[in-house]
Amino acid sequence: MTIMFQPSDLNQKLSRQGSIRQKIDYLQKRLELAELTLNNIYNGALVTDENGIVIMFNEPYGRFLGVNPADQIGRHVTEVVENTRMHIVARTGEAEVNQTQHIQGQDMVVQRIPIKKDGRVIAVFGQVMFKNVRDLGSLAKRLSLLESKVRVYEEELTTLRSTKYTMDSIHGRSDTIRSLKKQALKAARTNLPVLITGESGTGKELFAQAIHHSSKRRTKPFIRLNCSAIPKDLFESELFGYERGAFTGARSEGKPGKFDLVEGGTIFLDEVGDLPLEMQPKLLRVIEEREFERIGGTRIIKADFRLISATNQNLQEMISARTYRKDLFYRLSVIPLNVTPLRERRDDILPLAEAILDDISDHTPGRRFRLTQGAENILLGHNWPGNGRELHNILEQAVATTESEIIDEDDLPIYLTGRTVAVSATTGDRLLKDILAQAEKDALRQTLAQTRNNKTKAARLLGLHRTLLYKKLKKHGLHDPADNGAS
Ligand SMILES: Nc1ncnc2c1ncn2[C@@H]1O[C@H](COP(=O)(O)OP(=O)(O)OP(=O)(O)O)[C@@H](O)[C@H]1O
Ligand SMILES: [Mg+2]
C-alpha cells in the first residue's frame, strides 16, 4: 500500500512531544501495520481526501487494475478508477454500501464510506470486493438455483396441500344433498365464515374442503386444526405460534402458528365445539381484527384467511350452559350449513354406496365391486347412525371379505343383516350365552365402525371404561395386536 502523508505536519507534531526517535519508531510501526493490513485483505482498497484526491491505494487494487499503487497517489480518483463515486461521497457524506460498480468489464461490489472528524468529511474509504465477488458470483448462481428449487417445491406443496375433496367428491342425488351443495358453492364465492354442523360421518370435512376448493383461495393452503386433539395449553401456540425463547420448552427458533401458515388460504377449525373457553376471545379477536401477535412477540401480524369451522355438538345448547361464547358463535356461523343425516335422505344411500365402491375399485386393479339386490336392500333398511362414514367402513370391510367382485348379504356385518336375531330365534337356552356374546361382539363392531376405530369414543358411546373395552375386544378377537391402547 502506498500512503501519502505530509512530513511537515508530522515533524511539527513530533517535535512538540518526547523523544523524536521513539515517536518516529512508534509511528513507523503503526504505518507499517496499517500498510500490511490493507495490502493483505482480499479487497481492493483506497482512500481519498475530502476533495477526491487519492491518498492511499493498496496493492491488490493495483494488481487488479494493472497499475502501480504508488503512481496513483495524488491523482484525482476519477482518473484512477472508472465509474467511481468516491468524490461524490466526499461531498454528500453519505455512505454507499454494497453497491455495484462496473470496473474493467465486470460488475463489482463496492463500499464507499465517508470518514468524518468533528462532523466534517476528511476522507473517504473505498473498497472493491473481488475475491468475494467471485464467491458472490457462485453464491448468486447457487442462490438462484435454490430459488428455483424453492419455487418447484412451493408448487408441489400447493398441490399436496390442495384439498383432496371437491364438490364432485360429495355423492348423493337427493334434493337435500343437491341443495346443500348449492349452498356450499354459494358460500365458496364469499369470504364469510362458514359453520358446518351435522352428525358424525355426514361429510362435514368433505364440505369444508370442497368449499375451499371451489373458492378463490384454492391454490393457497387449507390448514386444518382439530380442536379436540390439542391439549388446552398448546392451543395458543398452535394458532398463533411463538417467538424464539417465548417460554421454557419452546423451540429456540420459534414456531409459526396456523395463522402464519395459512398465507391467504383457508383455516378449518374442526370440532370447534371443543375450543377451550379461554381461547374463544382470542379466536374472536383474530377473526374480527384480522391480525394477531405471536406468543412472546411484540409485533402485530396481519393475517389473510378464510375461516370454516365444523362441529357435531350443539353450540346453542353450549351457549345456554355458558360453555360457549355467544359472540364467537355468531362470528363463526355467518353462513351456517347443516348436513342432514343419511337416514333423512335415504335416496342417497345407494348412489353413495356405488360411488364408494367405484372409488375402492379404482384402487383395486382388475376388480370392480358391485352389490347384489339383497345387499342393497339391507343397506336401504339400515338407519345409519354413523352416516356416510359408517357406509364407507362397511363397504371397505365387505370388499376385504368377499372373494369375488360381488358383495351380497353375507359380506355385510351381522349387525346389519340381523342374522343374530335369526339364530337366537331358533336356539334354546343352551345358546343364550353365545347369543349374548354375539350381540356384544356386533355392538362392539358397529360402534368401532361408527367411531372410525377410535377406542376412546367407542368406550364413551358404549358406556364402558376403556380398559374394559380393550378386554372385550380381546375376548372377541377384535383387537389389533399392534394396538397398545393409545388411541
Ligand atoms: N356425501 C358423501 N359423499 C362421499 N363420501 C361421504 C359422504 N358423506 C360421508 N362420506 C364418507 O364419510 C367419511 C367421513 O366424512 P367426514 O370426515 O367429512 O365426516 P364428518 O362429518 O367430518 O365426521 P366427524 O364429525 O366424525 O368428524 C368420508 O371420508 C367419506 O368416506
Ligand atoms: Mg370431521
Side-chain angles (χ1 to χ4, degrees):
M1 182 185 69
T2 307
I3 299 179
M4 182 173 85
F5 61 93
Q6 286 90 21
S8 54
D9 276 6
L10 190 68
N11 286 340
Q12 250 180 21
K13 276 186 192 145
L14 290 175
S15 60
R16 271 190 252 123
Q17 306 150 7
S19 142
I20 290 177
R21 187 68 251 156
Q22 269 179 341
K23 289 288 169 191
I24 289 177
D25 279 355
Y26 172 74
L27 285 175
Q28 254 176 351
K29 268 191 195 137
R30 291 198 57 171
L31 272 174
E32 216 174 14
L33 184 66
E35 205 166 304
L36 279 169
T37 308
L38 277 185
N39 281 336
N40 280 286
I41 60 174
Y42 291 124
N43 302 332
L46 88 163
V47 180
T48 68
D49 67 10
E50 70 271 34
N51 297 313
I53 302 296
V54 177
I55 54 175
M56 292 182 185
F57 197 93
N58 79 347
E59 284 170 9
Y61 209 176
R63 277 198 297 279
F64 175 63
L65 293 179
V67 296
N68 177 5
D71 296 345
Q72 312 313 315
I73 305 298
R75 297 174 68 188
H76 194 264
V77 67
T78 49
E79 295 166 23
V80 180
V81 185
E82 55 187 316
N83 301 315
T84 184
R85 289 177 48 85
M86 295 282 282
H87 55 303
I88 297 168
V89 171
R91 260 202 326 269
T92 61
E94 304 271 338
E96 297 183 345
V97 179
N98 294 342
Q99 306 285 309
T100 51
Q101 183 177 334
H102 204 69
I103 313 171
Q104 303 235 320
Q106 300 176 46
D107 277 326
M108 312 296 283
V109 176
V110 302
Q111 286 103 32
R112 309 176 189 105
I113 321 265
I115 297 163
K116 295 181 185 171
K117 196 175 171 194
D118 303 326
R120 209 172 59 81
V121 176
I122 55 161
V124 179
F125 172 76
Q127 72 170 338
V128 186
M129 302 168 68
F130 11 92
K131 182 158 177 29
N132 290 12
V133 153
R134 259 177 251 127
D135 294 349
L136 279 182
S138 59
L139 259 180
K141 266 191 211 136
R142 276 177 53 202
L143 192 68
S144 75
L145 184 75
L146 284 175
E147 273 173 352
S148 56
K149 272 193 182 170
V150 165
R151 263 195 303 279
V152 172
Y153 288 135
E154 270 176 355
E155 277 164 25
E156 208 148 303
L157 194 63
T158 314
T159 325
L160 285 173
R161 268 172 173 172
S162 75
T163 46
K164 204 167 106 197
Y165 300 111
T166 66
M167 287 292 170
D168 291 337
S169 324
I170 303 172
H171 300 293
R173 331 182 249 260
S174 66
D175 290 344
T176 317
I177 204 87
R178 280 180 216 261
S179 145
L180 280 169
K181 281 166 84 167
K182 238 191 224 161
Q183 289 173 50
L185 268 177
K186 229 166 131 187
R189 279 185 232 118
T190 74
N191 205 23
L192 299 169
V194 182
L195 176 66
I196 309 171
T197 50
E199 286 179 10
S200 180
T202 44
K204 295 184 292 297
E205 181 160 1
L206 242 59
F207 270 100
Q209 292 199 14
I211 291 173
H212 171 75
H213 196 271
S214 312
S215 79
K216 271 200 250 159
R217 298 177 184 266
R218 79 176 63 84
T219 56
K220 306 278 170 59
F222 177 85
I223 306 276
R224 173 174 184 258
L225 183 77
N226 185 347
C227 299
S228 69
I230 296 170
K232 229 179 185 177
D233 31 328
L234 289 187
F235 247 100
E236 199 167 353
S237 70
E238 279 294 321
L239 283 178
F240 306 124
Y242 54 79
E243 296 289 344
R244 51 188 301 184
F247 50 87
T248 25
R251 275 199 279 161
S252 60
E253 68 274 30
K255 184 185 158 210
K258 301 291 182 210
F259 282 98
D260 277 301
L261 299 170
V262 67
E263 292 171 345
T266 301
I267 289 196
F268 175 45
L269 293 181
D270 204 0
E271 319 266 5
V272 77
D274 288 331
L275 187 74
L277 200 52
E278 58 271 28
M279 272 310 293
Q280 295 179 16
K282 294 184 179 167
L283 178 64
L284 186 65
R285 188 180 158 240
V286 65
I287 302 174
E288 285 179 343
E289 313 285 331
R290 306 258 139 194
E291 54 188 34
F292 66 99
E293 263 172 83
R294 296 203 187 109
I295 303 175
T298 46
R299 214 151 51 84
I300 299 226
I301 303 168
K302 291 248 167 270
D304 174 21
F305 61 92
R306 194 288 162 81
L307 190 71
I308 303 181
S309 346
T311 182
N312 53 23
Q313 284 170 278
N314 187 331
L315 294 187
Q316 313 258 29
E317 273 174 17
M318 291 174 74
I319 292 170
S320 311
R322 297 193 181 280
T323 50
Y324 218 80
R325 286 181 65 128
K326 207 179 190 170
D327 46 7
L328 178 64
F329 171 74
Y330 287 123
R331 275 285 165 187
L332 295 179
S333 60
V334 179
I335 301 185
L337 195 73
N338 182 255
V339 189
T340 320
L342 192 54
R343 65 181 168 279
E344 288 173 24
R345 45 185 171 94
R346 297 200 160 267
D347 299 357
D348 286 341
I349 298 172
L350 291 185
L352 183 52
E354 275 158 25
I356 292 170
L357 281 181
D358 280 347
D359 195 37
I360 296 175
S361 305
D362 288 345
H363 293 95
T364 326
R367 290 175 89 188
R368 288 231 77 85
F369 300 100
R370 58 190 175 80
L371 297 158
T372 60
Q373 183 72 48
E376 283 185 359
N377 289 340
I378 284 168
L379 296 185
L380 283 170
H382 184 55
N383 221 24
W384 301 109
N387 295 293
R389 179 181 298 117
E390 188 186 0
L391 181 55
H392 191 270
N393 290 350
I394 282 174
L395 292 173
E396 266 189 340
Q397 281 176 29
V399 162
T401 41
T402 181
E403 312 228 304
S404 66
E405 296 178 25
I406 295 162
I407 293 167
D408 67 16
E409 291 139 85
D410 292 345
D411 300 313
L412 298 176
I414 297 168
Y415 80 83
L416 277 192
T417 56
R419 271 176 284 152
T420 326
V421 179
V423 172
S424 62
T426 58
T427 48
D429 291 351
R430 201 179 55 84
L431 283 178
L432 183 60
K433 185 170 64 91
D434 297 341
I435 293 163
L436 289 175
Q438 185 63 52
E440 185 175 83
K441 188 172 178 180
D442 289 347
L444 291 170
R445 269 222 195 104
Q446 178 180 7
T447 316
L448 283 177
Q450 201 179 320
T451 62
R452 259 195 292 188
N453 218 26
N454 182 325
K455 312 278 190 315
T456 313
K457 268 194 194 165
R460 204 171 49 221
L461 281 176
L462 291 165
L464 294 176
H465 190 271
R466 241 177 49 169
T467 330
L468 187 57
L469 176 79
Y470 275 98
K471 263 194 194 154
K472 288 190 182 293
L473 291 177
K474 212 165 175 179
K475 181 175 116 192
H476 293 293
L478 293 173
H479 73 296
D480 176 358
D483 191 348
N484 58 12
S487 70

